[in-house]
Amino acid sequence: MDTMKVMAQRHSVRRYKSEPIPMETRDFLRGYIDDLNKEHDLNFQLFFDTRHMFNRIQRLTRAKNVSNYLALVVPEQAGGGEKAGFFGSEFTIVAQTMGLNTWWVGGGYSRAMVASDTNLKIGQDMICIIAFGYGENQGVPHKSKTPEEVSSYEGEAPEWFQQGVKAALLAPTAYNKQDFMITGKGRKVDITYEFSRYGDIDLGIVKQHFQMGAGIDNFKWA
């Protein structure tokens, strides 16, 4: 499946069907997360058929039938939020290709329950969670800035840079602010993000989208 098309199809979904995720899909996702953890020094953890991360009122309203989630647990060190955003974003794309919907949840859930589920240890940081499952709908596209508002390239921008920016604009960001700037020169690319509570996570998400759109072999991060 075309990656750009998948990114365009993925939208935040907060209300889900009660339909359980098949075992073969669960096994695939577990294997994928295990490989991701080993390769990138993460401790992401998947949980199925559990609802205690939201209270009863939330489960009836903003988080209807949410019963599966990925906890983004990383080493407690500089850059942890960016790392969680980057690889968490990769997970949402993989989930979308399997017919699953996703929702980045930065707050409003029980961090104590998630910390207990993950057996969070000293030296680890639980950044946020990603809820997933079969949505009641497919969500709606977010409002977006133009490429000119979020990027600049020294000289004529090559096709790969333009595609990377297009992909970055499909990335979910906190409050849909898209407070990032992508700059390019030759094969070097840099992305900066305004400081905020979720800025590091958003930076990782945007970087992952840009990389998937531009093609990792076409550029290097500055």
Side-chain angles (χ1 to χ4, degrees), residues 53 102 122 161 166:
M53 60 284 189
T102 51
I122 294 174
F161 184 83
K166 181 179 177 181

Side-chain angles (χ1 to χ4, degrees), residues 80-151:
E82 180 181 332
K83 198 172 185 179
F86 189 96
F87 294 107
S89 180
E90 183 179 306
F91 168 81
T92 67
I93 301 303
V94 170
Q96 186 72 30
T97 65
M98 304 187 76
L100 297 170
N101 302 102
T102 51
W103 170 29
W104 286 87
V105 191
Y109 63 93
S110 173
R111 291 186 65 85
M113 287 296 186
V114 174
S116 177
D117 282 349
T118 59
N119 191 26
L120 197 66
K121 296 179 172 59
I122 294 174
Q124 294 180 336
D125 192 6
M126 202 282 292
I127 302 296
C128 64
I129 67 173
I130 299 174
F132 63 96
Y134 297 106
E136 285 190 349
N137 54 61
Q138 296 302 305
V140 296
H142 58 253
K143 292 182 180 179
S144 183
K145 293 181 180 179
T146 65
E148 293 74 21
E149 291 178 293
V150 301
S151 69

Side-chain angles (χ1 to χ4, degrees), residues 27-61:
D27 289 343
F28 175 86
L29 291 175
R30 288 190 182 105
Y32 161 71
I33 291 298
D34 284 346
D35 290 344
L36 204 63
N37 286 337
K38 292 174 184 176
E39 186 174 353
H40 300 288
D41 189 27
L42 306 169
N43 191 27
F44 286 6
Q45 297 180 46
L46 283 167
F47 296 93
F48 298 93
D49 305 322
T50 181
R51 300 187 178 188
H52 56 218
M53 60 284 189
F54 292 103
N55 63 39
R56 185 178 301 176
I57 299 300
Q58 290 171 323
R59 293 199 302 270
L60 293 172
T61 54

Side-chain angles (χ1 to χ4, degrees), residues 145 150 173-180 193-194 196 202:
K145 293 181 180 179
V150 301
T173 57
Y175 311 114
N176 194 31
K177 287 188 174 183
Q178 297 185 317
D179 286 336
F180 58 87
Y193 211 97
E194 288 190 17
S196 69
D202 284 348

Side-chain angles (χ1 to χ4, degrees), residues 147-155 157 161 165 181-185 188-190:
E148 293 74 21
E149 291 178 293
V150 301
S151 69
S152 67
Y153 188 90
E154 189 171 306
F161 184 83
V165 172
M181 177 55 65
I182 305 171
T183 55
K185 179 181 179 181
K188 293 289 185 70
V189 175
D190 187 32

